[in-house]
Amino acid sequence: MEPLGLVVHGKAEPFSTALRSLVNNPRYSDVRFVVGQERQEVFAHRCLLACRCNFFQRLLGTEPGPGVPSPVVLSTVPTEAFLAVLEFLYTNSVKLHRHSVAVTFGLGQLQERCVAFIEAHSQEALRTRGFLELSAAALLPLLRSDKLCVDEAELVRAARSWARVGAAVLERPVAEVAAPVVKELRLALLAPAELSALEEQNRQEPLIPVEQIVEAWKCHALRRGDEARGAPCRRRRGTLPREHHRFLDLSFK
């Protein structure tokens, strides 16, 4: 049996600082990105990205040919968000801001931190361009969260704005773009007057399936949440109290 060796741990801070100096640094860079609508050039290092993130491993899996490789174009990714992801990949830490939490490239730990950040700064985050540029897959965990500090009426408006932007970019109907995410909106939390206004707006600009609105009215008609127990009737952290909530026997979880 071989004797146990001595494990030497260096200081983490100088190591992190050294790697942070390589973020968007053309020195030794072997891959370039053109990011955002501004088409900003960003420099990175292929081996580091590939070993840290499956998304980049797939993206950069092909060996570059001879000569100067063409840049990787990520025109739909906000530059600040992309740089935040790079900093996390290089140093395993990043300071999040409300403009830099839109893209996580499948990094589970970073995604969890981003969701927690948005939960704590919900109203600010919903008003950013980054929110409007979220993919449906990125928006779903937010709409499923009980900890969003925002009222449902404002969340419905934000979802409509998000769907309008996606519809314009993808050249698809608003309702089609919204379909994967609107089912997570908790319409039964809205007061009858709010639900009537939403129903009328939905006739003019379809966003939410009629069946989903009918289920919300059912909760009001029965004055109980038994028929839609669970997420559709569960309050969020930022849900404003309404008179009918006492009939739904709601408790924040």
Side-chain angles (χ1 to χ4, degrees):
M1 183 176 180
E2 295 185 5
L4 295 176
L6 176 65
V7 178
V8 178
H9 294 282
K11 293 183 177 180
E13 186 175 349
F15 179 74
S16 178
T17 300
L19 285 176
R20 185 172 284 107
S21 70
L22 294 177
V23 176
N24 197 18
N25 189 336
R27 190 176 187 183
Y28 309 124
S29 170
D30 57 357
V31 61
R32 293 178 299 135
F33 295 88
V34 174
V35 184
Q37 296 178 353
E38 304 84 2
R39 297 186 62 81
Q40 180 174 330
E41 189 174 40
V42 176
F43 298 93
H45 305 81
R46 182 181 297 266
C47 65
L48 197 152
L49 298 184
C51 74
R52 287 278 286 147
C53 177
N54 289 334
F55 171 85
F56 287 111
Q57 187 179 70
R58 294 190 297 269
L59 182 67
L60 306 174
T62 305
E63 289 294 326
V68 179
S70 300
V72 179
V73 179
L74 299 173
S75 58
T76 61
V77 179
T79 304
E80 186 175 350
F82 184 71
L83 290 173
V85 169
L86 288 190
E87 184 175 350
F88 181 81
L89 291 176
Y90 277 66
T91 68
N92 213 36
S93 66
V94 64
K95 184 176 182 179
L96 295 175
H97 301 279
R98 63 190 181 95
H99 294 293
S100 60
V101 295
V103 182
T104 60
F105 294 103
L107 298 170
Q109 184 182 9
L110 182 58
Q111 184 183 57
E112 291 173 6
R113 298 293 176 86
C114 288
V115 169
F117 182 90
I118 294 175
E119 288 171 341
H121 304 84
S122 303
Q123 294 191 10
E124 291 178 305
L126 293 183
R127 299 188 183 104
T128 64
R129 190 182 76 177
F131 173 80
L132 297 177
E133 294 173 345
L134 286 174
S135 67
L139 182 56
L140 272 174
L142 296 177
L143 296 184
R144 288 170 178 161
S145 172
D146 294 340
K147 298 179 181 179
L148 287 178
C149 296
V150 63
D151 186 62
E152 207 67 22
E154 186 172 349
L155 200 56
V156 171
R157 289 191 291 269
R160 185 178 294 277
S161 296
W162 172 85
R164 284 171 175 166
V165 171
V169 172
L170 300 174
E171 297 183 344
R172 292 162 51 194
V174 169
E176 184 180 330
V177 172
V181 301
V182 291
K183 60 185 177 182
E184 302 300 335
L185 294 172
R186 305 175 186 183
L187 303 184
L189 296 177
L190 301 177
E194 295 172 308
L195 197 53
S196 293
L198 174 62
E199 194 169 25
E200 178 59 33
Q201 187 178 16
N202 204 60
R203 290 193 188 99
Q204 299 174 16
E205 182 187 38
L207 173 75
I208 300 169
V210 173
E211 296 79 8
Q212 188 174 344
I213 297 177
V214 169
E215 286 300 313
W217 278 120
K218 185 185 296 185
C219 288
H220 283 278
L222 298 177
R223 290 197 167 191
R224 53 190 285 185
D226 298 29
E227 295 299 321
R229 183 72 67 184
C233 280
R234 194 164 62 243
R235 287 185 294 179
R236 304 181 198 269
R237 182 169 289 165
T239 299
L240 297 176
R242 292 166 173 83
E243 193 275 337
H244 75 287
H245 287 179
R246 61 193 179 97
F247 298 113
L248 299 179
D249 190 25
L250 298 177
S251 60
F252 170 73
K253 295 185 179 181

